[in-house]
Amino acid sequence: MQWTLAATEQPPEWFIQAVKKYTPASSGLYAAQLLWQRGIQEKSQLDAFVNYKAYQPASPFEFGEEMHLAVARLQLARNASEKIAIWGDFDADGITSTSVLWDGLGQFFGQNSQLSYYIPNRLKESHGLNNSGIDNLEKQGCTLIVTCDTGSTNIDEIIYAQKLGIDVIVTDHHTLPAERPRVTAIINPRNLPQEHPLFNLSGVAVAYKLVEALYQTLPHVPKQPLADLLDLVAVGLIADLVQLSGDCRYLAQLGIQRLQEDFKQPPTARRRPGVGRLLELCQKSGDRPTDISFGLGPRINAVSRIQGDARFCVELLTSRDIKRCHELAEDTELANARRKSLQKDVQTQVAQKLSQLDLSTTSAIVLADAQWPVGVLGLVAGQVAQETGRPTILLSTEDAILADTETQREGDAENENFSLSPRPLVPPSPPLARGSARSINSVDLYQLVKDQAHLLHRFGGHPYAAGLSMLVENIPLFTQAINQRLRQSLGGKTLTPTVQADIAVTVADLGKDLFLELKILEPCGMGNPVPKLLIQNCWFENSWHRNQQDSQGKKVQYIKTEFDIRDDSTRNPFPGIWWGHYKDELPIGRCDCIAELDYNTFKKRYEIRLIAVRPSANSVLATQHSELILDWRHQQHPELNTKETAVILAECPTSWDDLRAWWKRSLYNHQQLAIAWTKPNQQPPNQIWLTLVGIAKYLSRTNQLVTRVQLLEKLGIGDQTLLVGLKALKYLGFTVQRQDRYLHISQETKNTSSGETLTLLVDAAIAKFLAAVREEQFQREYFAEVPLSTIVAMVNEG
């Protein structure tokens, strides 16, 4: 495993002192270094980041006309005593979204009499709206559906609902279709600019914003304060792994505070007895984001993974009936225990199959089994990818009636850019393999799997995680193709797992003061990960391990090692744990380790959680390449005019090969590489196509020539996408000819193809161009935000 240490630029003294005001018990230096690393470099940024009271949240009406339309329709429904149905989803974000609308809209509509909710069955219905569910709601007299965490791309189902006289308000945060669906309103932060503070909202936060707008419009109607919903918002936000910046961070901060305040109450006085009981069962107190990400979130998700039907989770989160909530919490805990057991079984079976593989000749791991439950494959694949340093794809070949329940939005758990490959025309009867893929930082999984789209039934995801399905008979060909493609991209190099430390500390630094200092960075999540600490030249003492068994005392559920860590900085040892490892795996003698500092609420002590360890003899950190790459993205820098000191890359790349070419150029010139592109301001793909057609007509009419560069700059696309667009123009009767450095575009008056055939050819060519534009825009958005550590790892692999 390759270790790297993040480049630690010393913050200015004024910044360190500003941070120290929030960490009076310590120097504030470590927190200042981390905040400076992560782009918090101004006093106003610091105050808003650390203290939610200094942050100005965005108004719900910044969603514009769509929010006004939604509020107006809800007011109309209230005045006319219409029946409304909340259509949710079965994951943690979807369950909390439904719960927020159930409690929030329940202040304006009678629960059960006017207001109901519908959660699809994960094992039978999958994500999103479906016609049979809509039929059931129509029979109940429902005239308005409000979705949450779903619905943006359910075009056909929305039309079907309208035919039955049911209006639809969509609240969602997933990928938008090319054209606005025919809904009453669609509230989706993807409609906002990327830099907008609401852009990263998850489904539960979007639902909250709708309720907030209704509270502001009808302030005298609600009996309960809006803030009562914030604990649920925090659970959904953190469980869905969205980037915790802007309003996401603000809402999570407020929600965690409410969660902790409610948990401190006696069990009989809690507003949410179900949440309180869940926290008790997982031995958490609700004051840390990890209490959600490792406690509440997995338990809520486990219900649908094991049982399919997760409707009772809404009751668990919203009911005030203590006895009933405790019963439901116990059921949820049992489902999670079953999930852990299944995961452990699959881990054991995967390890057996891995032992039969020659990893020296395997670039991408693809394994399949008929007995593997799909619901836990993503978790296991992630562990295998980290341990082996190779992208891992695990498939279940069980012949299921429903072709794809898990894969449609597998990548949404990391909340990034979901898309589907075109579904091939295949008979419905052949069995499908369904599963999950996980990657490591240096491999773009999305592109790797997308290159084999012709072998897939469905595929969705992002560079680090994906869900996919394919015909069972395609697995061998897919395995061969994906390994060949990855080997080509690696150029003969071997993949190496990488772990990055953020700051170097000593054992003497560990403890309450450092914990409280680093705690000002919470809530941590995407874009602001939990700080990883490098401890060098240390050793372990008093180590022992324990096997946690199931309720029958037979099957081992998990293993953990406990130990004391020491170094020369102090005579006092410090406790720690290492999940999933035996004590014999700890090195003998001096070593280096990377760990996270945590507080164990069960043992009431501060401890480290070991991430990686190795003997000190191997302690060579790859910091030199980090120092050779300057991250100037989204910033104004006077140094951009100083080309003597750095190679400036101002254009956002669309592939790792582009970036590696610039990296090699900077190494050849013995210069730093400054990545200095800005966030892409991208036009809708349809608009780009219309612009291209308009340019072609103008050039044909005026008989003018144009250069390739002029077209690229005007359209804001790359060479390969432009080539696809020029080919599409030919189906509209245009001829494109090259004349030296110029292109000559003219339009023919006739086309030899028949009308129907020509229409099909034109539609297919335009669709191919639009798909190429969307793919390129996705890549630009990815490179606009990809962490510097990933860039360093990728260029080194190239």
mmCIF file of all heavy atoms in Angstrom, residues 274-312:
data_model
loop_
_atom_site.group_PDB
_atom_site.id
_atom_site.type_symbol
_atom_site.label_atom_id
_atom_site.label_comp_id
_atom_site.label_asym_id
_atom_site.label_seq_id
_atom_site.Cartn_x
_atom_site.Cartn_y
_atom_site.Cartn_z
ATOM 1 N N GLY A 274 -38.434 6.578 18.903
ATOM 2 C CA GLY A 274 -37.860 5.556 18.027
ATOM 3 C C GLY A 274 -36.402 5.835 17.714
ATOM 4 O O GLY A 274 -35.558 4.921 17.738
ATOM 5 N N VAL A 275 -36.082 7.097 17.421
ATOM 6 C CA VAL A 275 -34.692 7.467 17.145
ATOM 7 C C VAL A 275 -33.844 7.273 18.398
ATOM 8 O O VAL A 275 -32.725 6.752 18.338
ATOM 9 C CB VAL A 275 -34.605 8.928 16.657
ATOM 10 C CG1 VAL A 275 -33.153 9.357 16.468
ATOM 11 C CG2 VAL A 275 -35.370 9.101 15.352
ATOM 12 N N GLY A 276 -34.393 7.678 19.546
ATOM 13 C CA GLY A 276 -33.668 7.510 20.799
ATOM 14 C C GLY A 276 -33.353 6.060 21.091
ATOM 15 O O GLY A 276 -32.238 5.722 21.519
ATOM 16 N N ARG A 277 -34.329 5.187 20.854
ATOM 17 C CA ARG A 277 -34.108 3.763 21.114
ATOM 18 C C ARG A 277 -33.078 3.179 20.142
ATOM 19 O O ARG A 277 -32.244 2.355 20.546
ATOM 20 C CB ARG A 277 -35.429 3.001 21.000
ATOM 21 C CG ARG A 277 -35.315 1.499 21.284
ATOM 22 C CD ARG A 277 -34.719 1.231 22.650
ATOM 23 N NE ARG A 277 -34.543 -0.190 22.899
ATOM 24 C CZ ARG A 277 -33.672 -0.684 23.749
ATOM 25 N NH1 ARG A 277 -32.864 0.130 24.437
ATOM 26 N NH2 ARG A 277 -33.565 -1.995 23.931
ATOM 27 N N LEU A 278 -33.105 3.594 18.892
ATOM 28 C CA LEU A 278 -32.102 3.135 17.925
ATOM 29 C C LEU A 278 -30.698 3.538 18.377
ATOM 30 O O LEU A 278 -29.744 2.757 18.266
ATOM 31 C CB LEU A 278 -32.384 3.713 16.540
ATOM 32 C CG LEU A 278 -33.327 2.938 15.619
ATOM 33 C CD1 LEU A 278 -33.377 3.607 14.247
ATOM 34 C CD2 LEU A 278 -32.898 1.481 15.471
ATOM 35 N N LEU A 279 -30.559 4.778 18.841
ATOM 36 C CA LEU A 279 -29.258 5.235 19.329
ATOM 37 C C LEU A 279 -28.794 4.399 20.517
ATOM 38 O O LEU A 279 -27.610 4.059 20.635
ATOM 39 C CB LEU A 279 -29.315 6.715 19.708
ATOM 40 C CG LEU A 279 -29.366 7.715 18.543
ATOM 41 C CD1 LEU A 279 -29.684 9.117 19.050
ATOM 42 C CD2 LEU A 279 -28.042 7.714 17.780
ATOM 43 N N GLU A 280 -29.721 4.066 21.391
ATOM 44 C CA GLU A 280 -29.364 3.222 22.536
ATOM 45 C C GLU A 280 -28.889 1.850 22.080
ATOM 46 O O GLU A 280 -27.906 1.309 22.603
ATOM 47 C CB GLU A 280 -30.563 3.070 23.472
ATOM 48 C CG GLU A 280 -30.925 4.336 24.231
ATOM 49 C CD GLU A 280 -32.213 4.206 25.021
ATOM 50 O OE1 GLU A 280 -32.962 3.215 24.803
ATOM 51 O OE2 GLU A 280 -32.478 5.091 25.852
ATOM 52 N N LEU A 281 -29.568 1.284 21.086
ATOM 53 C CA LEU A 281 -29.222 -0.045 20.609
ATOM 54 C C LEU A 281 -27.847 -0.069 19.948
ATOM 55 O O LEU A 281 -27.145 -1.087 20.006
ATOM 56 C CB LEU A 281 -30.283 -0.550 19.630
ATOM 57 C CG LEU A 281 -31.634 -0.929 20.256
ATOM 58 C CD1 LEU A 281 -32.671 -1.189 19.180
ATOM 59 C CD2 LEU A 281 -31.479 -2.144 21.175
ATOM 60 N N CYS A 282 -27.468 1.022 19.308
ATOM 61 C CA CYS A 282 -26.132 1.057 18.690
ATOM 62 C C CYS A 282 -25.115 1.774 19.570
ATOM 63 O O CYS A 282 -24.016 2.104 19.116
ATOM 64 C CB CYS A 282 -26.176 1.661 17.294
ATOM 65 S SG CYS A 282 -26.806 3.343 17.174
ATOM 66 N N GLN A 283 -25.497 2.025 20.822
ATOM 67 C CA GLN A 283 -24.602 2.594 21.832
ATOM 68 C C GLN A 283 -23.995 3.920 21.380
ATOM 69 O O GLN A 283 -22.801 4.166 21.499
ATOM 70 C CB GLN A 283 -23.501 1.583 22.185
ATOM 71 C CG GLN A 283 -24.053 0.288 22.761
ATOM 72 C CD GLN A 283 -22.988 -0.749 23.049
ATOM 73 O OE1 GLN A 283 -21.862 -0.647 22.573
ATOM 74 N NE2 GLN A 283 -23.339 -1.769 23.817
ATOM 75 N N LYS A 284 -24.863 4.786 20.869
ATOM 76 C CA LYS A 284 -24.468 6.122 20.430
ATOM 77 C C LYS A 284 -25.291 7.155 21.189
ATOM 78 O O LYS A 284 -26.321 6.850 21.792
ATOM 79 C CB LYS A 284 -24.680 6.296 18.927
ATOM 80 C CG LYS A 284 -23.996 5.242 18.052
ATOM 81 C CD LYS A 284 -22.487 5.351 18.090
ATOM 82 C CE LYS A 284 -21.844 4.333 17.152
ATOM 83 N NZ LYS A 284 -20.357 4.394 17.205
ATOM 84 N N SER A 285 -24.812 8.423 21.131
ATOM 85 C CA SER A 285 -25.524 9.483 21.848
ATOM 86 C C SER A 285 -26.092 10.548 20.928
ATOM 87 O O SER A 285 -26.764 11.464 21.392
ATOM 88 C CB SER A 285 -24.580 10.150 22.862
ATOM 89 O OG SER A 285 -23.466 10.722 22.203
ATOM 90 N N GLY A 286 -25.810 10.446 19.615
ATOM 91 C CA GLY A 286 -26.396 11.385 18.662
ATOM 92 C C GLY A 286 -25.655 12.687 18.500
ATOM 93 O O GLY A 286 -26.124 13.573 17.784
ATOM 94 N N ASP A 287 -24.474 12.833 19.136
ATOM 95 C CA ASP A 287 -23.764 14.113 19.057
ATOM 96 C C ASP A 287 -22.695 14.129 17.981
ATOM 97 O O ASP A 287 -22.055 15.154 17.759
ATOM 98 C CB ASP A 287 -23.126 14.453 20.412
ATOM 99 C CG ASP A 287 -22.021 13.465 20.781
ATOM 100 O OD1 ASP A 287 -22.127 12.292 20.378
ATOM 101 O OD2 ASP A 287 -21.070 13.880 21.464
ATOM 102 N N ARG A 288 -22.481 12.997 17.292
ATOM 103 C CA ARG A 288 -21.431 12.923 16.269
ATOM 104 C C ARG A 288 -22.034 12.503 14.939
ATOM 105 O O ARG A 288 -22.962 11.683 14.892
ATOM 106 C CB ARG A 288 -20.379 11.878 16.664
ATOM 107 C CG ARG A 288 -19.738 12.065 18.024
ATOM 108 C CD ARG A 288 -18.738 13.202 18.017
ATOM 109 N NE ARG A 288 -17.759 13.095 16.943
ATOM 110 C CZ ARG A 288 -16.754 12.216 16.901
ATOM 111 N NH1 ARG A 288 -16.614 11.330 17.873
ATOM 112 N NH2 ARG A 288 -15.899 12.223 15.900
ATOM 113 N N PRO A 289 -21.501 12.999 13.827
ATOM 114 C CA PRO A 289 -21.959 12.525 12.518
ATOM 115 C C PRO A 289 -21.791 11.018 12.354
ATOM 116 O O PRO A 289 -22.595 10.368 11.691
ATOM 117 C CB PRO A 289 -21.061 13.294 11.539
ATOM 118 C CG PRO A 289 -20.599 14.493 12.290
ATOM 119 C CD PRO A 289 -20.495 14.075 13.717
ATOM 120 N N THR A 290 -20.736 10.464 12.986
ATOM 121 C CA THR A 290 -20.525 9.017 12.881
ATOM 122 C C THR A 290 -21.618 8.220 13.575
ATOM 123 O O THR A 290 -21.834 7.048 13.258
ATOM 124 C CB THR A 290 -19.153 8.638 13.474
ATOM 125 O OG1 THR A 290 -19.029 9.222 14.785
ATOM 126 C CG2 THR A 290 -18.021 9.129 12.608
ATOM 127 N N ASP A 291 -22.335 8.835 14.522
ATOM 128 C CA ASP A 291 -23.470 8.155 15.133
ATOM 129 C C ASP A 291 -24.557 7.873 14.102
ATOM 130 O O ASP A 291 -25.337 6.924 14.237
ATOM 131 C CB ASP A 291 -24.058 9.004 16.264
ATOM 132 C CG ASP A 291 -23.089 9.143 17.434
ATOM 133 O OD1 ASP A 291 -22.022 8.502 17.401
ATOM 134 O OD2 ASP A 291 -23.400 9.903 18.365
ATOM 135 N N ILE A 292 -24.591 8.721 13.072
ATOM 136 C CA ILE A 292 -25.550 8.528 11.981
ATOM 137 C C ILE A 292 -24.970 7.606 10.912
ATOM 138 O O ILE A 292 -25.583 6.618 10.523
ATOM 139 C CB ILE A 292 -25.939 9.884 11.369
ATOM 140 C CG1 ILE A 292 -26.673 10.746 12.405
ATOM 141 C CG2 ILE A 292 -26.808 9.688 10.124
ATOM 142 C CD1 ILE A 292 -26.916 12.177 11.971
ATOM 143 N N SER A 293 -23.753 7.937 10.446
ATOM 144 C CA SER A 293 -23.183 7.186 9.324
ATOM 145 C C SER A 293 -22.877 5.741 9.680
ATOM 146 O O SER A 293 -22.959 4.855 8.821
ATOM 147 C CB SER A 293 -21.920 7.886 8.806
ATOM 148 O OG SER A 293 -20.991 8.093 9.856
ATOM 149 N N PHE A 294 -22.508 5.460 10.951
ATOM 150 C CA PHE A 294 -22.208 4.089 11.374
ATOM 151 C C PHE A 294 -23.281 3.489 12.260
ATOM 152 O O PHE A 294 -23.200 2.313 12.609
ATOM 153 C CB PHE A 294 -20.872 4.044 12.120
ATOM 154 C CG PHE A 294 -19.693 4.408 11.271
ATOM 155 C CD1 PHE A 294 -18.714 5.261 11.758
ATOM 156 C CD2 PHE A 294 -19.566 3.922 9.992
ATOM 157 C CE1 PHE A 294 -17.614 5.607 10.981
ATOM 158 C CE2 PHE A 294 -18.478 4.261 9.205
ATOM 159 C CZ PHE A 294 -17.502 5.106 9.696
ATOM 160 N N GLY A 295 -24.277 4.290 12.652
ATOM 161 C CA GLY A 295 -25.306 3.800 13.563
ATOM 162 C C GLY A 295 -26.691 3.816 12.962
ATOM 163 O O GLY A 295 -27.233 2.781 12.548
ATOM 164 N N LEU A 296 -27.292 4.990 12.887
ATOM 165 C CA LEU A 296 -28.682 5.099 12.427
ATOM 166 C C LEU A 296 -28.836 4.748 10.947
ATOM 167 O O LEU A 296 -29.753 4.009 10.561
ATOM 168 C CB LEU A 296 -29.200 6.515 12.682
ATOM 169 C CG LEU A 296 -29.272 6.976 14.145
ATOM 170 C CD1 LEU A 296 -29.763 8.417 14.221
ATOM 171 C CD2 LEU A 296 -30.185 6.061 14.955
ATOM 172 N N GLY A 297 -27.962 5.296 10.102
ATOM 173 C CA GLY A 297 -28.097 5.104 8.660
ATOM 174 C C GLY A 297 -28.110 3.642 8.233
ATOM 175 O O GLY A 297 -29.032 3.194 7.538
ATOM 176 N N PRO A 298 -27.096 2.860 8.616
ATOM 177 C CA PRO A 298 -27.087 1.444 8.215
ATOM 178 C C PRO A 298 -28.296 0.669 8.719
ATOM 179 O O PRO A 298 -28.775 -0.250 8.037
ATOM 180 C CB PRO A 298 -25.787 0.914 8.849
ATOM 181 C CG PRO A 298 -24.918 2.115 9.001
ATOM 182 C CD PRO A 298 -25.849 3.247 9.302
ATOM 183 N N ARG A 299 -28.799 1.017 9.880
ATOM 184 C CA ARG A 299 -29.955 0.293 10.426
ATOM 185 C C ARG A 299 -31.220 0.593 9.628
ATOM 186 O O ARG A 299 -32.018 -0.308 9.349
ATOM 187 C CB ARG A 299 -30.127 0.647 11.910
ATOM 188 C CG ARG A 299 -29.149 -0.093 12.794
ATOM 189 C CD ARG A 299 -28.969 0.514 14.159
ATOM 190 N NE ARG A 299 -28.129 -0.362 14.999
ATOM 191 C CZ ARG A 299 -26.799 -0.435 14.896
ATOM 192 N NH1 ARG A 299 -26.166 0.314 14.004
ATOM 193 N NH2 ARG A 299 -26.117 -1.263 15.675
ATOM 194 N N ILE A 300 -31.421 1.865 9.261
ATOM 195 C CA ILE A 300 -32.587 2.210 8.451
ATOM 196 C C ILE A 300 -32.493 1.546 7.083
ATOM 197 O O ILE A 300 -33.474 0.999 6.556
ATOM 198 C CB ILE A 300 -32.709 3.737 8.318
ATOM 199 C CG1 ILE A 300 -32.980 4.367 9.691
ATOM 200 C CG2 ILE A 300 -33.814 4.114 7.337
ATOM 201 C CD1 ILE A 300 -32.906 5.880 9.710
ATOM 202 N N ASN A 301 -31.301 1.551 6.496
ATOM 203 C CA ASN A 301 -31.116 0.930 5.178
ATOM 204 C C ASN A 301 -31.308 -0.578 5.225
ATOM 205 O O ASN A 301 -31.746 -1.193 4.240
ATOM 206 C CB ASN A 301 -29.711 1.241 4.648
ATOM 207 C CG ASN A 301 -29.598 2.623 4.054
ATOM 208 O OD1 ASN A 301 -30.531 3.107 3.405
ATOM 209 N ND2 ASN A 301 -28.469 3.281 4.261
ATOM 210 N N ALA A 302 -30.979 -1.184 6.353
ATOM 211 C CA ALA A 302 -31.024 -2.645 6.441
ATOM 212 C C ALA A 302 -32.438 -3.192 6.304
ATOM 213 O O ALA A 302 -32.625 -4.311 5.813
ATOM 214 C CB ALA A 302 -30.416 -3.102 7.771
ATOM 215 N N VAL A 303 -33.440 -2.417 6.702
ATOM 216 C CA VAL A 303 -34.815 -2.935 6.704
ATOM 217 C C VAL A 303 -35.261 -3.328 5.300
ATOM 218 O O VAL A 303 -35.748 -4.439 5.064
ATOM 219 C CB VAL A 303 -35.779 -1.897 7.321
ATOM 220 C CG1 VAL A 303 -37.226 -2.373 7.186
ATOM 221 C CG2 VAL A 303 -35.439 -1.671 8.789
ATOM 222 N N SER A 304 -35.086 -2.427 4.337
ATOM 223 C CA SER A 304 -35.523 -2.752 2.971
ATOM 224 C C SER A 304 -34.611 -3.790 2.335
ATOM 225 O O SER A 304 -35.053 -4.584 1.503
ATOM 226 C CB SER A 304 -35.552 -1.484 2.107
ATOM 227 O OG SER A 304 -34.264 -0.905 1.992
ATOM 228 N N ARG A 305 -33.336 -3.791 2.701
ATOM 229 C CA ARG A 305 -32.424 -4.785 2.135
ATOM 230 C C ARG A 305 -32.821 -6.206 2.553
ATOM 231 O O ARG A 305 -32.676 -7.152 1.780
ATOM 232 C CB ARG A 305 -30.989 -4.514 2.597
ATOM 233 C CG ARG A 305 -30.385 -3.232 2.060
ATOM 234 C CD ARG A 305 -28.942 -3.078 2.517
ATOM 235 N NE ARG A 305 -28.385 -1.795 2.126
ATOM 236 C CZ ARG A 305 -27.877 -1.532 0.924
ATOM 237 N NH1 ARG A 305 -27.875 -2.482 0.013
ATOM 238 N NH2 ARG A 305 -27.386 -0.346 0.641
ATOM 239 N N ILE A 306 -33.324 -6.348 3.757
ATOM 240 C CA ILE A 306 -33.660 -7.677 4.278
ATOM 241 C C ILE A 306 -35.134 -8.010 4.065
ATOM 242 O O ILE A 306 -35.481 -9.118 3.657
ATOM 243 C CB ILE A 306 -33.306 -7.766 5.773
ATOM 244 C CG1 ILE A 306 -31.812 -7.527 5.981
ATOM 245 C CG2 ILE A 306 -33.714 -9.111 6.336
ATOM 246 C CD1 ILE A 306 -30.911 -8.473 5.233
ATOM 247 N N GLN A 307 -36.019 -7.037 4.334
ATOM 248 C CA GLN A 307 -37.456 -7.318 4.302
ATOM 249 C C GLN A 307 -38.153 -6.821 3.038
ATOM 250 O O GLN A 307 -39.252 -7.257 2.736
ATOM 251 C CB GLN A 307 -38.127 -6.686 5.529
ATOM 252 C CG GLN A 307 -37.584 -7.188 6.854
ATOM 253 C CD GLN A 307 -38.277 -6.568 8.051
ATOM 254 O OE1 GLN A 307 -39.293 -5.902 7.901
ATOM 255 N NE2 GLN A 307 -37.738 -6.792 9.239
ATOM 256 N N GLY A 308 -37.561 -5.879 2.339
ATOM 257 C CA GLY A 308 -38.206 -5.305 1.163
ATOM 258 C C GLY A 308 -39.091 -4.137 1.525
ATOM 259 O O GLY A 308 -38.935 -3.034 1.009
ATOM 260 N N ASP A 309 -40.039 -4.354 2.421
ATOM 261 C CA ASP A 309 -40.997 -3.327 2.827
ATOM 262 C C ASP A 309 -40.422 -2.526 3.994
ATOM 263 O O ASP A 309 -40.201 -3.069 5.076
ATOM 264 C CB ASP A 309 -42.317 -3.984 3.233
ATOM 265 C CG ASP A 309 -43.417 -2.969 3.512
ATOM 266 O OD1 ASP A 309 -43.130 -1.750 3.504
ATOM 267 O OD2 ASP A 309 -44.566 -3.390 3.722
ATOM 268 N N ALA A 310 -40.194 -1.230 3.776
ATOM 269 C CA ALA A 310 -39.605 -0.381 4.824
ATOM 270 C C ALA A 310 -40.572 0.682 5.316
ATOM 271 O O ALA A 310 -40.152 1.659 5.939
ATOM 272 C CB ALA A 310 -38.327 0.278 4.292
ATOM 273 N N ARG A 311 -41.861 0.498 5.067
ATOM 274 C CA ARG A 311 -42.825 1.532 5.456
ATOM 275 C C ARG A 311 -42.839 1.785 6.963
ATOM 276 O O ARG A 311 -43.050 2.908 7.405
ATOM 277 C CB ARG A 311 -44.225 1.137 4.979
ATOM 278 C CG ARG A 311 -44.438 1.281 3.473
ATOM 279 C CD ARG A 311 -45.826 0.801 3.072
ATOM 280 N NE ARG A 311 -45.999 -0.620 3.377
ATOM 281 C CZ ARG A 311 -47.142 -1.280 3.170
ATOM 282 N NH1 ARG A 311 -48.191 -0.644 2.696
ATOM 283 N NH2 ARG A 311 -47.226 -2.570 3.453
ATOM 284 N N PHE A 312 -42.610 0.747 7.749
ATOM 285 C CA PHE A 312 -42.696 0.948 9.195
ATOM 286 C C PHE A 312 -41.582 1.866 9.712
ATOM 287 O O PHE A 312 -41.661 2.380 10.825
ATOM 288 C CB PHE A 312 -42.723 -0.379 9.943
ATOM 289 C CG PHE A 312 -41.402 -1.070 10.120
ATOM 290 C CD1 PHE A 312 -40.426 -0.555 10.963
ATOM 291 C CD2 PHE A 312 -41.148 -2.278 9.476
ATOM 292 C CE1 PHE A 312 -39.218 -1.208 11.149
ATOM 293 C CE2 PHE A 312 -39.949 -2.941 9.667
ATOM 294 C CZ PHE A 312 -38.976 -2.395 10.504
#
